[in-house]
Amino acid sequence: MTAAAGRPLTSFETDATEPALTVRQVLALERVLAGEPEVVAGAGHLDRPVRWVHVAEAADVGVMLTGGEMVLTTGVLLAGDEDKQAEYIRSLHRAEAAAVVLGLGRAFPTPPEVMRRAAERCGLPLVVLHRPFPFAELTEEVQSRLVRRKFAAVSLSESVRTALTALITAGAPLQALLDEIAQHSACPVVVTNLAHRVLATAGERSAVDDVLRDWERIARQAWGHHPGRSGTGGGSEGDGWIRAELGGRGERWGRIVLCGHRGDTATGRLLADRAAEALVLHRMLGGNAGCTWEEQSAQGLLTDLVSGVVAARQLLPRARAAGLPVNRRTFVPLVVPGGDPAELDRLLRLLGLTGLAAELAEGATAVLLSLARDQDADALTAHFAARLRAESGAHGTVVAAADARTAWDEVPAGLREARHVAEAVADSAAALDLPAVVRLKDVHLRGLIRLLRDDPHVQSFAERELDGLLCGAGQDLLDVLRTYLATGRNKSRTAQLHHVSRPALYRRLEAIQTRLGVDLDDFEQAASVHIALLAHDAQHQ
């Protein structure tokens, strides 16, 4: 028997979850192989899905079809009339039949040339059976398989929908839904915005990395030609690149892509559609506490960079796929204490700066600028910080900055340095009268204490030095002491910041000295208390 690819068709094997059979798969059934089938026309269309099998001898059978049928015939009513034979093929083509199978015998001892030529012109697979074959057996076999497959498809659809709905009901994050989808599809899953920037991924890490590594090429290729329905991604659906649009209320905002799905295309479409339904519902219900998918993507990337759990080089494909330029760039790691990621992202766009902004677990927002090599990193950082301070209206608003990096592998260390600086000044930026951009050289002793805050000897020292102020009414005095020392023992500035008169401040300072048993006018004693207070604050942040 001849196949389109020039290789013999073998016994049929397929996944029971496939909702349909193709013409090629039907021809590979053992019962069909016993009839010695030969594809004499339309060999390039054997992957058409077969919706049903229909036995018909009528010359006008096309009017009784609805599309997708494989028609079985002996051609007894067509013999001797070439016009009828050609029209028979044309009518099947108009009815969008999947294929026609002609049993050779008394009506047609050899493949009819007229029917073969007509089928070839129409692109309709024409298969002849060289040995007598009971059509009833084929009909029974295919119909039972189709019913089983349709039932399996419905079961799969409900299983996926139930699992995803349960996750949504439980308040699971987006990543949990994607992990579930990746498990069902057994391939990498990617969520993008309309600009093809990757917002989230799921699947085996190495397979996902392979997809992201080539994402720029994939994103440049056509993304299907039928808006609103599943279509092709970086490759064709036949290659397993299956996507579904994400949107609602007449607006699209993204896509979910199954990358290299190895199962049947129809099953892949079903999975993609169920996934899209779940993601749209998840977004409508405000999953992830109102955090947008773009923010989640940036947060995941920057958090992984800071943690160092994943090597920076392994995160490079994710950064590139998220739209961050990484080739021949200068990277400036920043951290803004108490910053709002959405506002910082807006400010980046307003100033024409390229970068990512995301809140870190510690309550500060990291910003990673990606600048061209010929741009002045220090000047742009200063401009960004000055504009942020001006818009916030708070003099204490600062941007903690690390030195610019030209190597991607050095970015994690830069982010950790910026976070360290931000932590050192988080609660005292206004009192210290710091510049808009703060670097490691600006935090001095405060930065060292942050590094040593978990040392038990430092903790014991802090408790011993501040014992008289760590309970009861001493907390109010502790705030005064903190401001007094942070301002370099400037009484006027301290009184101003606490909105009290100078005599009232003097009484509080006397109470502090009495409780601690120290003389704050003595430099060494004041320095000791200052160090203890820095350690105390570092331990409680």
Side-chain angles (χ1 to χ4, degrees):
M1 170 181 151
T2 304
R7 65 177 185 273
L9 293 170
T10 57
S11 61
F12 173 69
E13 292 183 8
T14 187
D15 184 348
T17 63
E18 295 176 5
L21 294 171
T22 64
V23 174
R24 187 187 307 279
Q25 290 170 333
V26 171
L27 298 181
L29 292 170
E30 291 185 5
R31 291 187 180 183
V32 180
L33 290 174
E36 296 183 5
E38 178 188 358
V39 179
V40 297
H45 303 275
L46 296 183
D47 291 318
R48 287 181 175 177
V50 176
R51 188 182 60 82
W52 208 243
V53 176
H54 192 74
V55 180
E57 298 293 351
D60 59 349
V61 65
V63 299
M64 296 181 284
L65 305 181
T66 58
E69 295 91 349
M70 174 179 277
V71 176
L72 311 180
T73 182
T74 61
V76 65
L77 299 181
L78 303 175
D81 191 333
E82 293 186 347
D83 290 338
K84 281 187 176 181
Q85 294 170 22
E87 177 55 28
Y88 180 80
I89 295 296
R90 288 193 293 268
S91 68
L92 294 180
H93 171 64
R94 289 193 296 270
E96 298 183 349
V100 58
V101 177
L102 174 65
L104 299 181
R106 286 181 296 178
F108 291 102
T110 60
E113 184 62 20
V114 172
M115 294 179 69
R116 189 197 67 76
R117 289 198 304 268
E120 194 65 53
R121 284 193 298 269
C122 294
L124 176 69
L126 173 61
V127 182
V128 297
L129 300 175
H130 289 278
R131 296 186 61 182
F133 183 86
F135 286 165
E137 291 186 11
L138 175 57
T139 302
E140 178 185 5
E141 174 81 7
V142 174
Q143 312 300 45
S144 63
R145 286 178 178 268
L146 288 174
V147 169
R148 289 199 302 270
R149 286 160 180 269
K150 290 180 180 180
F151 177 78
V154 171
S155 297
L156 174 64
S157 177
E158 288 307 307
S159 174
V160 173
R161 179 182 280 120
T162 299
L164 295 176
T165 301
L167 288 172
I168 295 172
T169 304
L174 172 65
Q175 190 60 52
L177 272 68
L178 295 182
D179 289 341
E180 183 74 20
I181 296 164
Q183 182 176 354
H184 281 286
S185 60
C187 69
V189 175
V190 174
V191 175
T192 77
N193 62 14
L194 295 181
H196 311 314
R197 291 187 176 181
V198 175
L199 305 180
T201 63
E204 185 182 348
R205 190 71 263 162
S206 60
V208 171
D209 287 344
D210 286 343
V211 170
L212 296 185
R213 196 170 292 115
D214 202 27
W215 191 256
E216 289 184 357
R217 180 189 63 80
I218 294 171
R220 285 195 298 267
Q221 294 183 0
W223 282 78
H225 305 283
H226 304 283
R229 55 166 284 190
S230 298
T232 57
S236 65
E237 282 195 340
D239 295 329
W241 288 82
I242 302 172
R243 72 173 172 88
E245 303 293 332
L246 303 175
R249 300 173 182 172
E251 178 185 6
R252 292 187 299 123
W253 61 74
R255 302 177 178 89
I256 182 169
V257 187
L258 306 187
C259 306
H261 177 63
R262 296 180 180 178
D264 179 76
T265 298
T267 302
R269 287 177 180 166
L270 181 150
L271 289 170
D273 288 342
R274 294 294 83 76
E277 291 172 3
L279 296 187
V280 170
L281 179 60
H282 183 267
R283 176 164 167 149
M284 290 177 61
L285 294 178
N288 296 289
C291 185
T292 68
W293 291 351
E294 286 82 358
E295 290 170 348
Q296 293 175 55
S297 174
Q299 184 177 47
L301 175 60
L302 293 183
T303 299
D304 285 347
L305 280 169
V306 170
S307 70
V309 173
V310 183
R313 190 168 299 277
Q314 290 180 269
L315 296 172
L316 193 57
R318 280 175 58 187
R320 186 181 290 113
L324 185 72
V326 294
N327 296 330
R328 298 186 59 78
R329 305 289 287 186
T330 296
F331 303 101
V332 184
L334 309 173
V335 172
V336 181
D340 180 357
E343 282 302 308
L344 292 173
D345 188 61
R346 180 193 64 79
L347 185 57
L348 288 175
R349 293 196 301 271
L350 181 66
L351 298 179
L353 297 174
T354 302
L356 298 176
E359 185 177 5
L360 300 179
E362 293 81 358
T365 296
V367 178
L368 180 60
L369 298 181
S370 175
L371 308 176
R373 290 284 176 86
D374 59 354
Q375 291 181 288
D376 189 332
D378 289 344
L380 289 173
T381 301
H383 182 48
F384 174 77
R387 186 64 177 266
L388 177 63
R389 175 172 284 188
E391 290 199 2
S392 68
H395 183 69
T397 300
V398 298
V399 172
D403 292 336
R405 266 69 174 173
T406 56
W408 175 258
D409 288 345
E410 297 175 0
V411 169
L415 284 169
R416 288 191 289 270
E417 179 183 315
R419 182 182 61 178
H420 168 63
V421 173
E423 291 173 348
V425 302
D427 295 325
S428 52
L432 292 173
D433 197 21
L434 292 170
V437 178
V438 184
R439 302 184 185 276
L440 190 60
K441 63 182 178 62
D442 299 315
V443 298
H444 305 295
L445 177 63
R446 188 178 298 272
L448 175 64
I449 294 301
R450 294 290 303 185
L451 292 176
L452 300 176
R453 63 181 174 177
D454 294 326
D455 188 298
H457 297 293
V458 174
Q459 295 172 359
S460 177
F461 167 75
E463 292 178 5
R464 184 172 61 251
E465 289 288 298
L466 301 174
D467 183 56
L469 300 179
L470 295 180
C471 60
Q475 287 295 328
D476 292 335
L477 295 177
L478 195 65
D479 291 339
V480 173
L481 175 63
R482 181 180 293 109
T483 304
Y484 180 62
L485 295 174
T487 58
R489 296 184 292 177
N490 186 320
K491 294 183 176 64
S492 297
R493 179 66 173 155
T494 302
Q496 179 184 10
L497 290 174
H498 283 271
H499 307 289
V500 297
S501 65
R502 287 175 65 93
L505 175 66
Y506 293 155
R507 289 193 294 271
R508 295 185 186 186
L509 291 176
E510 289 174 3
I512 291 171
Q513 294 181 103
T514 299
R515 282 175 175 253
L516 298 183
V518 299
D519 180 4
L520 293 179
D521 289 330
D522 181 85
F523 176 78
E524 185 173 340
Q525 293 184 57
S528 180
V529 172
H530 193 187
I531 292 171
L533 185 56
L534 291 176
H536 172 270
D537 289 345
Q539 293 159 13
H540 290 82
Q541 288 179 356

